[in-house]
Amino acid sequence: MVKISPSLMCMDISKFEEQINCLNQTVDYYHIDIMDGHYVSNMTLSPWFIEQLKNHTKIPLDVHLMVTNPIAYVEQLLDLGVEVISIHAEFLNGHAFRLSQTIKQHGKKMGVVLNPETPLNLITDYLHLIDIVTVMTVDPGFAGQSFISESLDKVRKLKDYRKENNLIFEIQIDGSCNKNTYHKLIAAGADILILGSSGLFKVDDSIEKAIAVMQMHVAAAVQELKQSE
């Protein structure tokens, strides 16, 4: 079954407790974007937010570092007990082997993020160390962008590479995961869908109804794929 990871930068902070309590019963991860206003022009969540969130959930946290010096955040995030630390390939290169050892010593997972323009061959030398590969299907930094369909080919290539090399990393999609793209993403090989405004938080005023709608569409996409196989 496809895993679900809500992007908390898209949630209604005024309804934080209500939404988190409801999502705690449903989701597999929480996706937390940390942006510094330099690598991308936006600024969002922070380690302080993670510290507060840990008081309200036991759901594993996947932190996506969109910062100019992501390596500087790793020790702090490990101390906070996050489950996955995801770093863009352009910054992970040169640090992957050492960071993998550090993260695995803490019993946590290392993730790598591929922008729409980032080629797969940039990470193949250390893919065996990776637990989750995040494929961006929008440009990083802002919610609500249009889906970049060319990214689907990268998802397919990752799925094939994983099988050919007997690897176990999961493929995660970040960007425009909603009822219009679920089937394409799952068919291409997505294991985890990051849901933001178009897939969850702005689907309905009621978070309970929004979750039900999302589950219905994801289940329908999975069923349609099974029938086509």
Side-chain angles (χ1 to χ4, degrees), residues 30-185:
Y30 283 128
H31 187 80
I32 300 171
D33 292 299
I34 294 181
M35 308 180 193
D36 63 358
H38 298 286
Y39 176 61
V40 293
S41 56
N42 202 1
M43 295 183 70
T44 54
L45 306 177
S46 68
W48 177 86
F49 175 83
I50 295 170
E51 189 173 2
Q52 303 306 307
L53 178 62
K54 293 283 286 185
N55 295 324
H56 296 273
T57 187
K58 295 187 181 300
I59 299 294
L61 308 183
D62 173 15
V63 177
H64 178 186
L65 290 170
M66 285 181 269
V67 297
T68 53
N69 186 15
I71 310 306
Y73 286 75
V74 170
E75 289 293 342
Q76 183 180 12
L77 293 175
L78 289 172
D79 288 343
L80 287 170
V82 304
E83 183 66 20
V84 188
I85 299 175
S86 294
I87 298 173
H88 282 258
E90 292 82 0
F91 292 109
L92 187 55
N93 285 352
H95 304 276
F97 288 85
R98 177 177 58 83
L99 273 183
S100 172
Q101 184 177 22
T102 298
I103 292 170
K104 298 300 172 63
Q105 284 175 345
H106 284 77
K108 304 302 181 181
K109 299 178 181 179
M110 184 166 76
V112 63
V113 184
L114 299 175
N115 286 334
E117 303 90 348
T118 305
L120 181 57
N121 62 14
L122 195 63
I123 65 171
T124 50
D125 284 347
Y126 57 81
L127 253 179
H128 61 288
L129 303 176
I130 297 297
D131 297 291
I132 297 178
V133 180
T134 300
V135 176
M136 299 293 300
T137 55
V138 298
D139 289 328
F142 291 90
Q145 298 180 60
S146 298
F147 180 72
I148 299 174
S149 60
E150 290 85 350
S151 298
L152 290 171
D153 187 49
K154 191 177 296 176
V155 177
R156 296 185 192 100
K157 288 178 179 178
L158 276 166
K159 182 180 179 181
D160 291 342
Y161 187 93
R162 179 175 63 186
K163 182 177 180 180
E164 292 165 3
N165 292 274
N166 196 30
L167 300 177
I168 59 172
F169 62 82
E170 293 183 288
I171 302 170
Q172 177 168 253
I173 308 299
D174 190 353
S176 291
C177 294
N178 55 52
K179 65 179 182 179
N180 298 318
T181 60
Y182 291 147
H183 181 267
K184 298 175 186 178
L185 295 170

